[in-house]
């Protein structure tokens, strides 16, 4: 498991931040060795990771992959908990759940079930047809009686005959309804018996699945740098109650309720997500702690084709995910000196005021500055303008830019102007244009010079703020683009491809995903740490903004150059 590393490079004083890092020379050397042993063109992609460790004064690395494989390849650290043993608890109970799945699928596909469904459908259709015919006969007979009454005087005998006819037809309709209702009830009962079986099996499957998942989470006992242990259930519960205000409020509300059946809802809200504990990072740290190795630094990379909905670049480094890994790593890194909290939260940043009057302002936001305050105390466009307009106005953020994106923003100085500008955005009356820089490899994709990207987006619930393409449940996201040509950028004056992006919708990370995803431009924007590779900054800039001034009705047009 321990792979010696023969390299002359400085050893970091602190462990790197797994959620925001640039791989050091040690990690890059270890990754290079690992990649040389991996398949060149794997059929499926997978996340791999390395952990640089010190073993009794000897430098080396551990390697891991995310998830579990029944026939584990040699040289990788083992799973935190191996639940794939052929005759183990998990496999036995998984087989029971699989058996229920088979029983449900078999009954739903059976001739008996299909016949019961079809019989009910046929009887209902036949009943509707026959009853409609009888109602038509009744209406026709009534029309003839009414016509007869208008045409001539009718005798008492004929009048009584008309009444008998009407009563007979009504009674006949009623008898027919009763007959068909009995047949429909019988068909429904036959189908319901089968559906009750399916419902009972599904209920049993859910119960077994929940119990198995709960058991599985309890078996993942994870060490931290102090040698203390916690299972996944305790790790996520403690993390959620400390860091998730929504979950904390829910627990407080349900705990105060007299209805103790709500305890189950509390437990569910604090459970780990599926697959927690199986990523590279916890596997690597767990093995290092068990062996008494000192962790130095770590790095993760994707190898192979990307999943259909996600953006993953072959060979690119990625940070640890927030949903599954963050609670675990916050626990496991306790007792280890890290870079997680070394960055200052109060870095001085300024904004360029492009235009300002009593009603609104247009500013040029630098890359790295938040648009609105986050959980930390980092400055934002909002906080800077609030201080600038202190005692005069409150900033109203009409729209936002990602922290890493630079460029033009319009901010209202009162509620009525805010609402008027929001209305313009809602009705697509605001013109926005972005400029982005792509690596020269974009030319190899042979994309049209002009095009339209329509990829619906949805949040990656296990790794926010990342977004995924979801053609079924995603929200519509449309971007028009134009390739401008080659340009120079950055401190080293490197070459890149400049493109203009015109978003027709305003989804989170829309432009970044539409550029990076294989169904879009298949080329991440330079410096995109979430969907591509790190650079001195994210080279995405809101360069043009055009709207109508809500008070003066003048056309307002602004341009800003990507520096």
């Amino acid at each position: 498991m321990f792979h010696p590393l023969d390299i002359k490079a400085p050893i970091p004083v602190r462990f790197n931040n797994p959620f925001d890092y640039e791989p050091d020379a040690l990690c890059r050397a270890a990754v290079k060795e690992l990649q040389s042993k991996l398949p060149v063109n794997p059929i499926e992609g997978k996340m791999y990771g390395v952990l640089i460790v010190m073993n009794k004064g000897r430098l080396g690395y551990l390697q891991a992959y995310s998830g579990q494989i029944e026939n584990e390849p040699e040289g990788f650290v083992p799973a935190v908990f191996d639940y794939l043993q052929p005759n183990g608890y998990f496999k036995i109970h998984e087989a029971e759940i699989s058996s229920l799945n088979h029983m449900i699928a078999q009954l739903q596909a059976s001739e008996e079930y299909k016949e019961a469904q079809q019989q009910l459908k046929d009887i209902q259709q036949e009943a509707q047809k026959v009853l409609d015919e009888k109602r038509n006969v009744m209406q026709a007979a009534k029309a003839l009686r009414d016509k007869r009454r208008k045409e001539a005087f009718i005798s008492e005998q004929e009048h009584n005959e008309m009444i008998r006819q009407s009563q007979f037809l009504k009674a006949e309709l009623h008898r027919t309804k009763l007959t068909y209702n009995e047949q429909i009830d019988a068909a429904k009962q036959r189908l319901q018996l089968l559906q009750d079986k399916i419902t009972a099996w599904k209920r049993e499957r859910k119960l077994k699945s929940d119990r198995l998942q709960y058991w599985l989470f309890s078996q993942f006992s994870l060490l931290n740098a102090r040698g203390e242990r916690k299972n996944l259930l305790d790790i996520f519960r403690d993390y959620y109650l400390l860091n998730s205000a929504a979950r904390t409020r829910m627990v407080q509300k349900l705990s105060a309720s007299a209805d103790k059946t709500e305890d189950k809802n509390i437990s569910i809200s604090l459970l780990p997500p599926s697959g927690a504990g199986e990523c590279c990072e916890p596997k690597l740290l767990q093995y290092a702690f068990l062996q008494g190795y000192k962790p130095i630094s770590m790095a993760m990379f994707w190898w192979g084709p990307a999943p259909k909905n996600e953006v993953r670049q072959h060979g690119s480094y990625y940070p640890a995910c927030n949903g599954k890994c963050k609670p675990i790593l916050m626990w496991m890194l306790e007792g280890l000196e890290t870079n997680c909290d070394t960055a200052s939260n109060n870095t001085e940043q300024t904004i360029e005021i492009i235009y300002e009057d009593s009603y609104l302002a247009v500013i040029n936001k630098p890359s790295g500055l938040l648009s609105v305050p986050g959980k930390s105390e980092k400055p934002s466009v909002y906080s800077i303008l609030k201080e600038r307009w202190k005692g005069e106005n409150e900033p109203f953020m009409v729209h936002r830019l990602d922290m890493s994106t630079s460029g033009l923003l319009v901010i209202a100085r009162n509620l009525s102007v805010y609402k008027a500008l929001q209305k313009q955005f809602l009705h697509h009356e605001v013109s926005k244009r972005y400029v982005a820089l792509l690596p020269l490899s974009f030319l190899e994709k042979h994309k049209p010079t002009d095009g339209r990207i329509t990829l619906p987006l949805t949040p990656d619930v296990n790794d926010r703020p990342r977004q995924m393409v979801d053609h079924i449940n995603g929200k519509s996201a449309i971007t028009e683009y134009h390739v401008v040509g080659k340009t120079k950028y950055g401190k080293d004056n490197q070459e890149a491809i400049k493109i203009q992006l015109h978003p027709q919708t305003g989804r989170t990370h829309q432009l970044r995903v539409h550029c990076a995803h294989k169904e879009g431009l298949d080329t991440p924007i330079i410096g995109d740490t979430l969907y591509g590779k790190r650079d001195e900054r994210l080279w995405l800039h809101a360069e043009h903004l055009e709207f109508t001034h809500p008070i003066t009705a003048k056309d307002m047009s602004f341009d800003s150059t990507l520096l």
Side-chain angles (χ1 to χ4, degrees):
M1 303 298 177
F2 177 82
H3 303 268
L5 192 61
D6 186 16
I7 180 176
K8 291 183 179 180
I11 296 177
V13 177
R14 294 186 180 89
F15 191 80
N16 64 321
N17 181 354
F19 305 101
D20 183 16
Y21 67 93
E22 176 69 18
D24 57 31
L26 298 175
C27 283
R28 289 184 181 277
V31 165
K32 186 177 180 180
E33 282 192 17
L34 172 55
Q35 289 179 348
S36 69
K37 304 169 190 173
L38 296 176
V40 177
N41 296 305
I43 298 174
E44 292 184 356
K46 186 173 278 292
M47 193 71 77
Y48 291 86
V50 297
L51 175 66
I52 307 299
V53 295
M54 192 66 75
N55 175 17
K56 297 178 181 178
R58 193 179 182 192
L59 189 68
Y61 69 92
L62 306 175
Q63 58 189 34
Y65 53 82
S66 289
Q68 290 200 27
I69 302 175
E70 291 203 23
N71 298 314
E72 286 194 352
E74 294 182 358
F76 291 88
V77 300
V80 173
F81 173 66
D82 184 6
Y83 55 85
L84 296 180
Q85 294 299 319
N87 297 313
Y89 183 93
F90 182 86
K91 279 296 186 181
I92 291 171
H93 288 79
E94 184 186 46
E96 293 175 358
I97 295 169
S98 297
S99 177
L100 286 168
N101 286 334
H102 178 71
M103 290 162 63
I104 292 167
Q106 194 173 41
L107 181 52
Q108 288 176 330
S110 68
E111 288 301 319
E112 182 184 13
Y113 188 69
K114 290 177 181 177
E115 285 176 7
Q117 288 179 309
Q118 191 61 46
Q119 182 188 34
L120 176 59
K121 183 179 178 181
D122 290 345
I123 293 173
Q124 288 174 329
Q125 289 178 344
E126 181 184 327
Q128 188 65 46
K129 181 181 178 182
V130 172
L131 292 172
D132 285 346
E133 288 174 353
K134 289 191 175 296
R135 290 189 185 96
N136 290 337
V137 170
M138 286 177 62
Q139 290 173 359
K142 184 178 184 302
L144 288 174
R145 291 195 302 271
D146 291 343
K147 183 180 179 183
R148 174 64 181 156
R149 290 190 184 100
K150 291 178 181 178
E151 288 177 347
F153 174 78
I154 58 174
S155 65
E156 183 177 350
Q157 182 180 356
E158 187 177 1
H159 174 72
N160 291 336
E161 181 61 31
M162 287 181 177
I163 292 174
R164 282 194 297 273
Q165 182 194 47
S166 175
Q167 290 174 339
F168 173 79
L169 291 174
K170 287 179 180 178
E172 183 65 16
L173 177 64
H174 181 66
R175 284 192 294 271
T176 304
K177 280 183 179 179
L178 290 176
T179 300
Y180 275 109
N181 282 343
E182 288 177 1
Q183 294 180 35
I184 289 171
D185 286 344
K188 281 183 176 179
Q189 188 174 7
R190 180 191 176 195
L191 180 60
Q192 190 63 49
L193 288 172
L194 298 174
Q195 289 176 335
D196 286 346
K197 270 188 180 181
I198 292 171
T199 300
W201 286 339
K202 285 183 176 180
R203 191 181 298 115
E204 184 181 357
R205 179 183 64 183
K206 178 71 166 59
L207 184 62
K208 285 180 177 292
S209 180
D210 287 348
R211 285 176 176 170
L212 184 58
Q213 188 180 52
Y214 197 90
W215 172 85
L216 184 62
F217 290 147
S218 70
Q219 301 305 303
F220 276 75
S221 179
L222 293 146
L223 286 162
N224 65 13
R226 297 193 189 101
E228 301 164 332
R229 283 185 177 271
K230 263 190 186 182
N231 66 35
L232 284 178
L233 295 169
D234 293 336
I235 288 173
F236 276 82
R237 180 200 62 210
D238 294 347
Y239 178 84
Y240 286 152
L241 292 178
L242 184 64
N243 296 282
S244 175
R247 284 185 171 92
T248 301
R249 285 194 299 270
M250 179 182 179
V251 169
Q252 290 171 344
K253 181 180 178 181
L254 295 177
S255 297
S257 172
D259 185 1
K260 294 304 177 184
T261 60
E262 298 290 1
D263 288 347
K264 184 179 179 182
N265 292 329
I266 296 176
S267 299
I268 291 173
S269 71
L270 301 178
L271 281 179
S274 178
E278 298 185 50
C279 295
C280 298
E281 299 88 341
K283 291 167 73 173
L284 290 165
L285 288 170
Q286 181 81 348
Y287 188 80
F289 292 150
L290 285 171
Q291 301 302 316
Y293 301 159
K294 180 185 177 182
I296 304 297
S297 58
M298 69 178 0
M300 283 63 64
F301 65 92
W302 183 263
W303 194 255
K308 184 177 180 180
N309 293 339
E310 295 181 53
V311 176
R312 298 291 186 194
Q313 303 295 326
H314 176 70
S316 291
Y317 291 97
Y318 287 91
C321 65
N322 284 309
K324 295 180 183 179
C325 286
K326 192 166 188 177
I328 297 174
L329 295 186
M330 294 298 284
W331 160 253
M332 298 189 80
L333 293 177
E334 284 188 16
L336 194 65
E337 195 172 359
T338 72
N339 285 330
C340 293
D341 299 313
T342 56
S344 171
N345 285 334
N346 296 301
T347 306
E348 286 294 328
Q349 284 184 292
T350 59
I351 57 176
E352 178 188 2
I353 306 293
I354 305 293
Y355 173 86
E356 186 177 24
D357 62 23
S358 301
Y359 307 103
L360 57 84
V362 175
I363 64 101
N364 194 16
K365 186 186 87 68
S367 175
L369 179 66
L370 291 166
S371 292
V372 295
K375 293 181 179 179
S376 67
E377 296 180 0
K378 290 181 179 179
S380 64
V381 172
Y382 176 87
S383 64
I384 293 172
L385 289 179
K386 186 176 182 180
E387 181 64 27
R388 177 183 175 88
W389 296 336
K390 197 171 184 179
E392 298 178 26
N393 302 106
E394 181 83 9
F396 288 83
M397 304 301 294
V398 182
H399 61 132
R400 304 177 186 182
L401 293 175
D402 292 342
M403 180 177 176
S404 302
T405 305
S406 59
L408 298 169
L409 278 173
V410 57
I411 299 94
R413 299 187 68 168
N414 62 55
L415 185 59
S416 61
V417 172
Y418 165 78
K419 289 181 177 179
L421 288 170
Q422 278 271 295
K423 189 176 180 181
Q424 290 185 43
F425 273 92
L426 184 65
H427 294 159
H428 303 286
E429 296 168 354
V430 177
S431 175
K432 294 184 292 179
R433 186 177 71 244
Y434 292 73
V435 63
L437 301 185
L438 305 183
L440 294 178
S441 59
F442 171 71
L443 298 177
E444 301 169 7
K445 311 294 182 181
H446 303 293
K447 298 287 183 179
T449 303
D450 295 273
R452 183 180 175 91
I453 302 167
T454 56
L455 293 175
L457 302 178
T458 190
D460 184 342
V461 294
N462 287 321
D463 197 11
R464 295 178 185 272
R466 287 179 64 91
Q467 303 292 304
M468 302 190 304
V469 171
D470 186 342
H471 290 285
I472 298 174
N473 300 311
K475 291 184 177 180
S476 172
I478 303 168
T479 304
E480 294 177 352
Y481 73 89
H482 168 69
V483 179
V484 178
K486 289 185 179 180
T487 187
K488 302 282 188 178
Y489 78 97
K491 297 174 183 177
D492 299 328
N493 207 29
Q494 299 179 74
E495 272 197 329
I497 303 300
K498 181 179 179 180
I499 64 167
Q500 291 177 340
L501 300 166
H502 301 262
Q504 306 302 303
T505 52
R507 308 300 176 203
T508 301
H509 294 180
Q510 175 178 318
L511 301 180
R512 297 165 69 174
V513 176
H514 279 186
C515 285
H517 197 272
K518 58 187 176 183
E519 295 178 35
L521 297 183
D522 196 18
T523 311
I525 298 171
I526 296 173
D528 193 337
T529 55
L530 279 179
Y531 306 104
K533 295 181 179 179
R534 185 180 295 268
D535 201 81
E536 59 190 77
R537 59 156 292 181
L538 172 67
W539 292 94
L540 176 63
H541 182 75
E543 69 170 1
H544 178 76
L545 181 63
E546 192 172 337
F547 58 91
T548 302
H549 197 294
I551 305 301
T552 66
K554 289 183 178 179
D555 291 334
M556 310 292 286
S557 182
F558 303 93
D559 292 283
S560 169
T561 304
L562 173 62
L563 300 177

